[in-house]
Amino acid sequence: MKKTIFLSALLLFVITAAGLSAYAKDRKPASQATPNSSQSDHVIRVYGPGGPLGPIKEAAEHFSVETGIKVEVTAGPEGNWIGKAKQDADIIFGGSEYMLQDFIFNHPEIIDTKSRTELYPRAAGILVRKGNPKKIENLEDLTKKGVKILDVNGAGQLGLWEDLAGRKGLIEDISQNINLSVKSSAEAIERWKSNSSLDAWITYESWHYRLQDVTDLVELPEEEKLYRGTPIALTKITDQKKEAQQFIDYLRTEESHQIFQKWGWK
């Protein structure tokens, strides 16, 4: 009888131990467990080009103070952040409408196109060296002999100078003075700072507010100004749609509009 009880107890122990062992194998430690979402730390992650970084980042800081919702803004050339954005982006913004549309063409799996929203337009202008040594006051001055122009052939500025010059019949003359063309604003800034022979850069007025130490701004007359938009949209992969939309709605408030105006938007 005692032997039977002993064997039963031993069998129960073995079964229990085996079950615990199997459970332990199936269960990962907390540090190794795969979260349900890459956004499970409750941070709204926003990605886009460098141009609108200033106002969007400042608005994000105000939004976080007011709501307690943390917003992390990552900006710059797409190649620097696209890999991470595919994993955890809640929001994507563009430097112009065509720029966001190109993003949608290239990454149709990311953007929720129905959520696409326009923020504020920004005008093109002419950046020149501090003190404006070449005395550039208008588009016509960019056609003068010896003026060296920097061009960004992309990054929201594709065709920007041509659209401005075409309205005044200056395409050929300005084209002949383009000394350097690059693909991104980041590269343009690097070249502007390292190559002092470049005299002018037709770009958005807003870049002057990021580069006040190395540029002066020549504003064009209102009737000559060309504006492009600043689109923003939710992603399809966000699991924080409500909070992310709340931030986009905040960017559309008058408080945020004033921040954008401070950075050179209309």
Side-chain angles (χ1 to χ4, degrees), residues 66-77:
E66 292 184 16
T67 66
I69 301 171
K70 184 177 179 181
V71 179
E72 181 181 279
V73 185
T74 300

Side-chain angles (χ1 to χ4, degrees), residues 123-134:
I126 305 170
L127 300 191
V128 297
R129 295 289 171 183
K130 296 293 292 183
N132 196 5
K134 290 294 180 75

Side-chain angles (χ1 to χ4, degrees), residues 201-240:
W201 173 13
I202 299 176
T203 184
Y204 297 113
E205 292 178 354
S206 59
W207 274 112
H208 168 64
Y209 297 90
R210 297 269 297 277
L211 299 167
Q212 293 188 55
D213 57 329
V214 291
T215 67
D216 280 345
L217 173 62
V218 177
E219 291 190 43
L220 300 174
E222 187 61 40
E223 64 272 15
E224 295 181 15
K225 284 188 177 183
L226 186 152
Y227 290 88
R228 286 188 176 170
T230 310
I232 194 166
L234 298 174
T235 67
K236 294 178 181 177
I237 63 174
T238 181
D239 66 353
Q240 302 182 108

Side-chain angles (χ1 to χ4, degrees), residues 62-255:
H62 285 258
F63 175 80
S64 295
V65 169
E66 292 184 16
T67 66
I69 301 171
K70 184 177 179 181
V71 179
E72 181 181 279
V73 185
T74 300
E78 182 183 312
N80 293 351
W81 50 259
I82 185 59
K84 194 166 187 305
K86 287 181 177 180
Q87 303 299 317
D88 64 12
D90 297 294
I91 294 171
I92 301 288
F93 63 87
S96 68
E97 288 290 338
Y98 91 79
M99 194 175 187
L100 186 64
Q101 189 58 53
D102 275 350
F103 186 93
I104 292 169
F105 288 148
N106 294 330
H107 311 287
E109 76 283 3
I110 296 181
I111 297 290
D112 176 2
T113 56
K114 291 182 179 180
S115 70
R116 185 169 175 167
T117 302
E118 169 60 26
L119 296 178
Y120 310 102
R122 53 178 172 163
I126 305 170
L127 300 191
V128 297
R129 295 289 171 183
K130 296 293 292 183
N132 196 5
K134 290 294 180 75
K135 306 302 179 186
I136 295 168
E137 302 294 342
N138 49 48
L139 288 170
E140 286 83 358
D141 288 342
L142 295 178
T143 69
K144 292 178 180 177
K145 185 177 180 179
V147 172
K148 294 182 179 180
I149 301 171
L150 172 63
D151 167 48
V152 176
N153 195 43
Q157 296 158 64
L158 187 64
L160 192 62
W161 74 265
E162 187 176 2
D163 289 345
L164 286 165
R167 295 190 299 193
K168 306 198 75 176
L170 300 173
I171 291 176
E172 182 178 5
D173 293 332
I174 288 180
S175 176
Q176 290 175 353
N177 279 351
I178 293 178
N179 181 258
L180 179 65
S181 289
V182 296
K183 292 184 177 181
S184 72
S185 298
E187 187 177 357
I189 293 168
E190 179 183 346
R191 296 300 187 91
W192 182 266
K193 291 182 176 180
S194 64
N195 184 355
S196 60
S197 71
L198 296 169
D199 302 305
W201 173 13
I202 299 176
T203 184
Y204 297 113
E205 292 178 354
S206 59
W207 274 112
H208 168 64
Y209 297 90
R210 297 269 297 277
L211 299 167
Q212 293 188 55
D213 57 329
V214 291
T215 67
D216 280 345
L217 173 62
V218 177
E219 291 190 43
L220 300 174
E222 187 61 40
E223 64 272 15
E224 295 181 15
K225 284 188 177 183
L226 186 152
Y227 290 88
R228 286 188 176 170
T230 310
I232 194 166
L234 298 174
T235 67
K236 294 178 181 177
I237 63 174
T238 181
D239 66 353
Q240 302 182 108
K241 185 174 181 179
K242 180 180 177 181
E243 293 81 1
Q245 184 61 55
Q246 187 178 347
F247 177 57
I248 291 177
D249 291 342
Y250 177 78
L251 291 175
R252 296 271 298 167
T253 65
E254 183 55 33
E255 181 179 358

